[in-house]
Amino acid sequence: MKILLGGALGVIALLVLILALLTLFDWNRAKPWINQKVSEATDRHFAINGDLSLSWDRPTTPYLGWRRWIPWPHLRAHDVTLGNPDWASTGPDMARIQQLDFNVNLLPLLRKTISVSSLVLTEPNLNLEQDENGRNNWTFKKKDEGKSAWHMVLQDISITKGTVRLVAQAKKADVTARIDTITDGENTGGIRWKISGKLDRDKVEGSGRAGSLLSLQEHNSDYPVEAELKVGSTEISAKGTLNDPVHLSALDVNLKILGASMSQLFPLTGIVLPATPKFSTEGRVVGKIGLGSTRLRYEKFTGKAGNSDIAGTLEYIQQKPRPLLRGEITSSYLNFKDLGALVGADSPEAQKKRGAESKQPPDKVLPVQNFKTERWSKIDAQVQFSGAKIVRTENLPIDNLFTKVSLNNGVLSLAPLNFGIAGGKLSSEVKIDGHADPAKAFMKIAARGIKLRNLFPSVESMQASLGEIGGNAELTAAGNSIAALLGSSNGEIKALITEGSISKFILEAIGLNVGSAIVAKVFGDHEVKLNCMASDFKVTDGLVDTRMFVLDTEDATIFMNGSVNLATEKLNLAINPQSKGVRLISFRAPFYVQGTFKKPDISVDKGVVAMKAGAATVLGTAAAPLAALLALVNPGPAEDSPCGQLLAQAQKKPEAPPPGKTASGKTATEK
């Protein structure tokens, strides 16, 4: 017993001596050795610049028996720095900690386990950076030394007045988060943060709170998350939980988004969305987040885009070679004006976002905003959209919009793109290849069974009309905007009307100001019976040439020739009305439509009018007054225009050359 008791006392004395020596030892002498070993392991400069000390604490874990008497070492280091790689632009240090404290449980060291019971970081500053090529400063070079038998367990962590700066050059992001541990009230031990900075020239600010950092490594637990973020004019709020945060196997968050345009979400999400008016959505995000296997669903969201309502479900799937966005979106009330943003029509918000250099020119009608084709190859998409009722101020009856949007390896297609109009249907296909520079596009349109009486439901006299509008168009083009595509387009456009009536009032009802002025000059402001209309246009490099345009009415047959330049938005049309039968007192003469889309100019051939007026004056002085009327007589054609022949010609299928080619097969450069 004496030997055992003496041996035990000797061991205790030895331990006390070792603890005393460790306590009295000047640990600052060990700093060069520690700095060297950590620098070699990380291949970065590491230094403890301030004081390094050791003290002893009682175990924080409620052990029983003799284990509770073994003290734990408490290491404290001041001014700890870890260097950045040479290419980093955020300064010499990746990390700088004003004070680092941690306790170590000695017993697990016997099992090659470093068990840190408490890690306290006081005023840590961390710079995370990623360059344009994807390199980052938080990935360290792997040492080819095999797998270590040691592993580390962290039981508690606390951050006081921490700062994390993230710089992502490819996304033009420079964001700083200030993090602090919650020490009182609800969610004690959790963290709260505030964010500020820039993302793609937009101001970023936000705040939030979450559970304890340590609980992120717990299994089968709910990790609370609450955040509010504002990026430019986009506001995002989220509240919910992460289930099993170790594997992030289940995310369940209520998400609200408010912004100027859905396209502005790309820098935040990497998901290509269309340009829209000001929008807001609210829904539930569920799914799984994993390395290379993220799958999220924005379930049963509702909201508005402009004055239109939207609802649906979208799913994001991370996969190779590109992630996929798929789902369905519906709208029961779709305002026609809200579709303008989809084709690049400017809004005040869009102009402010893009800056003065990319605004819509005041003298242009066709949208000049460039497509962001560089984004199209970042993600694939399969989204179905349908709009039950479409409303526009001119009361044009449009309904049942349906399209399938597909984005596959940088090629965007809307096939089909259909909607009902006035009892008929307009079917189309659009395909744009974003890989080409400029982008190459193909478009096919077919209008069938559009009824005149349904087209103008508020015009009482139209209700007896049986006329229908039909037409076909096939165009190809190369360009990076709607204006550029139309300005370089090639193909054919054909349209016809079987019968009906036409008036200035009707054309005003659908906003055709040029047509309204033409009809007013030809017919005056009254309705006339329309026998048929047939048109055939050839499009070459954006120049629309009239191969045939005949409008046959009960009073006259109107012929039109000339061109419309879609590239310069200039009009150059000559319209020649020919009266039927004998019409007395007719000053009807050819007139011209010139000017631009923005400011069309319509003028009458003054020479013909002057000749008729002069002849009437001469006859009036030289003969009886009745003879003067002969100069104002238009004999007109002997027969009505052959509508059947015209309609047959207009019904021939239009053709278009490959995108970027003319009908002769030459490119614009070769021409």
Side-chain angles (χ1 to χ4, degrees), residues 410-579:
V411 178
L412 174 67
S413 64
L414 288 80
L417 173 57
N418 301 338
F419 55 86
I421 175 171
K425 184 177 181 180
L426 195 147
S427 305
S428 61
E429 295 180 13
V430 179
K431 183 177 180 180
I432 305 176
D433 185 354
H435 282 306
D437 188 17
K440 293 182 178 180
F442 169 82
M443 180 173 62
K444 180 187 292 186
I445 302 175
R448 297 291 184 269
I450 300 174
K451 297 174 177 59
L452 288 173
R453 62 181 178 183
N454 293 347
L455 195 59
F456 312 109
S458 60
V459 181
E460 183 178 353
S461 59
M462 287 293 296
Q463 301 313 301
S465 173
L466 300 177
E468 292 186 356
I469 300 175
N472 293 287
E474 189 167 315
L475 298 172
T476 59
N480 291 328
S481 68
I482 295 295
L485 285 176
L486 292 175
S488 65
S489 56
N490 295 278
E492 295 179 332
I493 304 172
K494 300 174 183 285
L496 56 89
I497 300 176
T498 53
E499 61 178 325
S501 60
I502 193 167
S503 75
K504 175 185 176 183
F505 174 77
I506 290 174
L507 291 175
E508 283 183 342
I510 58 174
L512 299 177
N513 297 327
V514 176
S516 172
I518 292 173
V519 172
K521 287 185 177 293
V522 176
F523 304 112
D525 192 10
H526 67 280
E527 289 190 7
V528 293
K529 182 181 178 182
L530 175 65
N531 296 324
C532 69
M533 185 276 289
S535 61
D536 184 359
F537 301 96
K538 180 179 177 60
V539 185
T540 306
D541 286 340
L543 186 66
V544 183
D545 285 315
T546 307
R547 294 194 292 203
M548 176 185 68
F549 184 94
V550 179
L551 181 66
D552 189 70
T553 73
E554 61 181 350
D555 286 347
T557 301
I558 298 102
F559 299 92
M560 181 177 72
N561 57 64
S563 63
V564 176
N565 194 320
L566 298 176
T568 61
E569 299 191 8
K570 290 185 178 180
L571 302 164
N572 185 24
L573 299 171
I575 300 174
N576 185 18
Q578 295 185 7
S579 296

Side-chain angles (χ1 to χ4, degrees), residues 169 201 392 429 464 479 669:
Q169 296 178 12
R201 296 182 296 179
R392 57 177 290 170
E429 295 180 13
T669 302

Side-chain angles (χ1 to χ4, degrees), residues 602-658:
I602 302 175
S603 59
V604 179
D605 191 328
K606 298 179 181 179
V608 175
V609 174
M611 285 176 54
K612 290 191 175 185
T617 302
V618 172
L619 289 174
T621 57
L626 184 60
L629 297 177
L630 296 177
L632 304 180
V633 172
N634 282 341
E639 300 178 356
D640 289 346
S641 297
C643 283
Q645 181 180 352
L646 293 173
L647 296 179
Q649 185 175 349
Q651 285 177 325
K652 291 182 180 180
K653 182 181 177 181
E655 297 179 350

Side-chain angles (χ1 to χ4, degrees), residues 1-11:
M1 289 296 295
K2 291 181 179 179
I3 294 173
L4 292 175
L5 182 60
L9 291 175
V11 171

Side-chain angles (χ1 to χ4, degrees), residues 278-293:
K278 188 175 182 179
F279 76 98
S280 62
T281 66
E282 180 175 359
R284 180 182 173 210
V285 177
V286 297
K288 176 182 178 181
I289 301 175
L291 184 61
S293 60

